[in-house]
Amino acid sequence: MLDKRKRSILQAIVDDYISTAEPIGSRTIARKHDLGVSPATIRNEMADLELLGYIEQLHTSSGRIPSAKGYRFYVDSLLEPTQMSDKEIALIKNWYQEKTRHVEEVFQETAKILSKITSNISLVLVPQVSQCAFKYLKFLPFDDCRTILVVVTDTGFVENKVIDIPKGLSFNDLQRIAEHINRRLSGLSFDNIEASILRDIQNDMLVDVDLFETAMGILKKALVVEKNERLYLGGTTQLLSQPEFKNIDKVKSFLDMLEEEQLLANILQNQRNDGVIVTIGDENKYSGIQDCSMVQATYRIDGQVVGTVAVLGPTRMDYGKVMSVLEFMHNHLGEVLKKYKV
């Protein structure tokens, strides 16, 4: 454990380095922070912090910067809650009101607003539809020959397709099909809609074979959905403004990694827990982001995972701000999504 003076000096180093991206010297700390000790004393304490692995020196003549261990201690023991400004809160609320009309847009816009506010890369992972439960199917009028088939899941996701109305069937026939399917399938996950259940539906509808064949054709169309979870990215160009990524080769390698959607999805899936999770430097298992930190949170409605949101950036990221944004989003995103639970 660090004593009070070492903790204060470490906090000063981390806070100043986050804001300036410049190594911090003892004279800078003495001048900017009222610690009540001389630069020489601060220098001795910094030497101890370096020996303990909390800070490091890039060059002999330079000041010190936090190590991954230093950032971890800072996040766990020194970080003070950061309050979001009224302007930032209003920006988020207005953004959703103006730019979202359905669930998919909520997550697309979440990626954009997170990167804008935090000045880092944002990642939003949305569960695949097959992991959701069937809520209902319905038909909406389109024109005399076609109808819109809509499938709604328990988390509010909507899949829709325009299909031809089979000859000999009226719109009322289609509504009867929907009512029957809804009675049998409501509440089942898409993965659990098995052939035996479909056979039962067939037996129930033997009175009208044509109607059943039409129903099954429609249901098969409805179940042709994306198999992978959907990943939305925001703010990838933010990399170019960060001092840590001035090296072109490093930027190229990082951008190549961001194109591997399945890899990014796996990284987020492996850390789905309640609350905000912070992984720093080599705590990240994938080598491509071991010079970075990731702050992420998984959001649920009624116990159902509806999305995992993360901010990825240099270890010098403003942890207090990023964590406060994700905490705010934890509450507000749930309110936004409830509007689309139909």
Side-chain angles (χ1 to χ4, degrees), residues 19 22 29 34 53 63 73 96-97 102 133 148 163 184 191 199 212 216 221 228 234 262 265 277 312 317:
S19 63
E22 296 290 338
I29 296 174
D34 185 17
F73 188 85
Y96 284 120
Q97 289 176 356
H102 51 77
I148 303 172
I163 64 170
R184 297 302 308 272
D191 284 338
R199 284 195 299 272
F212 170 74
M216 291 304 98
K221 287 184 178 181
N228 295 323
Q262 190 55 53
I277 301 171
L312 177 65
M317 73 164 59

Side-chain angles (χ1 to χ4, degrees), residues 102-149:
H102 51 77
V103 170
E104 286 82 356
E105 285 185 338
V106 170
F107 291 106
Q108 291 171 1
E109 297 303 323
T110 296
K112 294 177 184 178
I113 191 65
L114 269 179
S115 63
K116 181 178 179 65
I117 291 181
T118 66
S119 299
N120 285 295
I121 295 170
S122 62
L123 305 95
V124 179
L125 184 67
V126 182
Q128 62 185 16
V129 175
S130 63
Q131 293 178 343
C132 303
F134 179 97
K135 190 167 186 180
Y136 65 77
L137 172 153
K138 67 179 178 180
F139 297 95
L140 299 174
F142 188 76
D143 58 29
D144 291 341
C145 300
R146 292 173 295 174
T147 181
I148 303 172
L149 167 65

